[in-house]
Amino acid sequence: MRRPIDSLFGRLALLVVAVLLLSHFAWYALMRLERNQLQARYAVEEATFLVDAVRQHVVRNPDQPLPSRVKLVDPASAEVPPESPNMSPPLERFLEDVRDRMPSGTQVRAGLPGGPPTLWVRGTADHSWIVVPVQPLRPPRSLDRTVLWLIMIFSFAVMAALFAAWALQQPLRSLAQAVARFGRGLPVPPVPERGPRELRQLTHGFNQMVQEVARTENDRAVMLAGVAHDLKTPLARLRLRAEMMDEAKMRDGVVRDVDSMTHIVEQFLVFAHDGADRSEPVEVNAQCERVVRSYRAVASGAPTVETDLRAGPGFCLPAATLDRILSNLLDNAHAYGAPPIVVATARTAEGFTLSVSDNGKGIAAQDLINASRPFVRLDPARGGNGHSGLGLAIVERLVRRAGGEWEIGNHGGRGLRVLMSFPFSAVPQVKAASESVW
């Protein structure tokens, strides 16, 4: 199951959102802390200024009344608040800051709780307590506009960052898709070179590699096809001359050898063919039944071939590709395996499967890696006349070209099994029959 977090864009998005969220939260916490400190400093400055203003007013204009909420209280009055040892840390810091701004020996107290916040100050030269109003140190604040602006800025930042992450991963996604196509043996068009410098260099190197591999494959295919094509004419003349021989035993032997060589040449031509299969897609189940029926009727001494077709009508492949896959695997099972040979299809959660298995001796575990390599013939159990070592290599190339994957191995000690898997995205759809025209 594909998870979004496993993709580059998913991880970049998660990283970007986490970093932005952390930075915005830290910024918001720092802003509120700084605002509280600024408010506390402002309250200290304001209280200090009011106390100095009252002192100057008393000295210069003793007969003039004081402003409202500012008063002088006799030290013996019962209104004087006691010095409370149990104060909140913010209030204690506030009183300490005010005390530091006053002359040495100044008494600083806070007003009684329950009323308007006041500050009581009495210096060594003061005859009375000076009472001035102060701002609340921690007034209740709603998260109103600050949080609203913070959410807006965070949303725009996330959208811009996600767009940047998407633009960054797009070239990598195109390159990954091209690498996947190249790994399946499909034609790969040049990937656009875009993105950061390192990514452009990587894409340029991949394009060069694809071009060199394609050029090498083309040269090899042309050489192989040319040699195989040139051999067909002398083989045909050789077969004609062999059939004109008088001695039957020698004639049959030569004809068998010519047929084996012709089969090898045809395998060369199929392997060298690198074009896309343009044949119409057919239902795999129905085509398997037809191929197996034809194989039973034509192949001399063919072993028992059974079918177990459960994929349903949705499983379709190009007709030519499917015929070549089945013919090569059936020939391989007929030559090296033992009956019964089973052709099976199935539908899975990811797509469809097609398998061909026999009940022979199978292939040794150390030889499974080399079984599908071109021109490799496993000795001694899997050799024979008329075989070029291309059968399984052709099947692998055809399966990958059709967008599937294949797996070769011995199944439960009962011979060789070739299992081919085709995801839903790689399965072509059968065109609906055209409606009758009245």
Side-chain angles (χ1 to χ4, degrees):
M1 179 178 179
R2 297 180 61 184
R3 295 181 298 173
I5 197 62
D6 285 339
S7 65
L8 176 63
F9 177 74
R11 297 195 178 190
L12 282 177
L14 182 63
L15 177 63
V16 165
V17 171
V19 170
L20 287 176
L21 188 62
L22 181 62
S23 63
H24 279 67
F25 177 78
W27 172 76
Y28 178 70
L30 181 63
M31 183 184 66
R32 285 184 64 87
L33 177 63
E34 185 66 21
R35 187 169 62 177
N36 292 338
Q37 292 179 351
L38 285 174
Q39 184 190 23
R41 287 196 294 267
Y42 178 78
V44 170
E45 294 290 341
E46 184 183 35
T48 305
F49 173 78
L50 287 176
V51 171
D52 291 340
V54 170
R55 284 173 177 165
Q56 293 180 10
H57 179 83
V58 171
V59 172
R60 295 178 183 178
N61 304 301
D63 298 331
Q64 296 293 330
L66 293 171
S68 60
R69 298 183 61 190
V70 176
K71 60 183 179 178
L72 299 176
V73 178
D74 187 84
S77 173
E79 296 181 18
V80 178
E83 188 170 358
S84 175
N86 299 323
M87 292 183 295
S88 62
L91 181 59
E92 188 175 357
R93 284 195 300 268
F94 171 73
L95 297 180
E96 188 65 28
D97 291 341
V98 173
R99 194 176 292 113
D100 291 341
R101 298 294 300 274
M102 298 292 176
S104 178
T106 301
Q107 301 180 56
V108 180
R109 299 180 185 178
L112 295 174
T118 56
L119 179 69
W120 295 64
V121 178
R122 184 188 179 194
T124 55
D126 296 332
H127 301 288
S128 303
W129 284 92
I130 301 175
V131 183
V132 296
V134 293
Q135 293 184 357
L137 292 181
R138 288 184 177 272
R141 291 193 185 96
S142 62
L143 301 181
D144 49 19
R145 293 188 176 181
T146 304
V147 173
L148 179 61
W149 280 104
L150 188 66
I151 292 176
M152 292 177 61
I153 295 173
F154 176 77
S155 301
F156 281 112
V158 167
M159 287 189 291
L162 291 182
F163 177 77
W166 176 83
L168 179 63
Q169 67 92 31
Q170 278 299 103
L172 277 176
R173 183 179 182 182
S174 301
L175 183 60
Q177 292 174 346
V179 170
R181 289 179 59 88
F182 182 73
R184 294 198 301 266
L186 299 174
V188 180
V191 182
E193 299 175 12
R194 49 183 182 168
R197 182 180 66 253
E198 295 80 3
L199 187 55
R200 293 198 305 270
Q201 292 175 349
L202 176 63
T203 306
H204 180 71
F206 174 77
N207 288 334
Q208 283 187 328
M209 180 189 69
V210 171
Q211 291 175 1
E212 290 298 324
V213 171
R215 187 180 298 112
T216 303
E217 285 288 325
N218 185 63
D219 293 343
R220 183 173 63 90
V222 169
M223 180 186 66
L224 190 60
V227 171
H229 183 271
D230 291 343
L231 285 175
K232 291 181 70 175
T233 301
L235 283 175
R237 290 199 301 263
L238 185 59
R239 180 185 177 88
L240 180 60
R241 293 174 180 174
E243 290 178 347
M244 297 174 63
M245 291 182 178
D246 296 331
E247 187 176 348
K249 185 176 181 181
M250 181 176 293
R251 181 182 65 242
D252 294 341
V254 173
V255 169
R256 261 196 319 270
D257 291 340
V258 171
D259 288 341
S260 298
M261 295 173 65
T262 303
H263 179 72
I264 293 174
V265 170
E266 290 175 352
Q267 291 286 75
F268 281 178
L269 290 174
V270 172
F271 184 78
H273 176 70
D274 200 27
D277 188 355
R278 302 184 184 277
S279 59
E280 290 292 331
V282 294
E283 293 185 7
V284 173
N285 285 2
Q287 189 68 7
C288 286
E289 286 285 0
R290 286 193 291 268
V291 171
V292 169
R293 212 165 35 241
S294 175
Y295 187 79
R296 292 171 183 157
V298 175
S300 59
T304 304
V305 181
E306 301 176 355
T307 57
D308 182 15
L309 308 175
R310 303 181 182 182
F315 186 17
C316 300
L317 288 176
T321 295
L322 182 57
D323 287 344
R324 290 172 182 170
I325 289 175
L326 291 175
S327 61
N328 277 280
L329 291 179
L330 289 174
D331 287 343
N332 188 80
H334 174 53
Y336 308 118
I341 300 171
V342 180
V343 178
T345 62
R347 182 188 179 100
T348 64
E350 293 79 18
F352 300 96
T353 62
L354 168 64
S355 65
V356 177
S357 58
D358 61 63
N359 284 266
K361 297 180 180 179
I363 299 178
Q366 64 271 18
D367 293 332
L368 284 174
I369 299 177
N370 298 323
S372 62
R373 291 184 178 176
F375 309 107
V376 173
R377 296 171 62 182
L378 305 178
D379 291 326
R382 303 184 72 85
N385 295 327
H387 296 277
S388 58
L390 286 174
L392 294 179
I394 291 173
V395 172
E396 181 182 17
R397 173 172 290 194
L398 292 174
V399 169
R400 294 188 182 278
R401 192 176 296 164
E405 297 292 336
W406 91 318
E407 178 184 350
I408 182 172
N410 302 314
H411 63 114
R414 294 177 300 165
L416 186 70
R417 183 183 69 168
V418 177
L419 176 64
M420 296 153 281
S421 304
F422 299 89
F424 291 117
S425 58
V427 176
Q429 300 296 323
V430 177
K431 296 182 180 180
S434 58
E435 297 180 358
S436 301
V437 180
W438 295 90

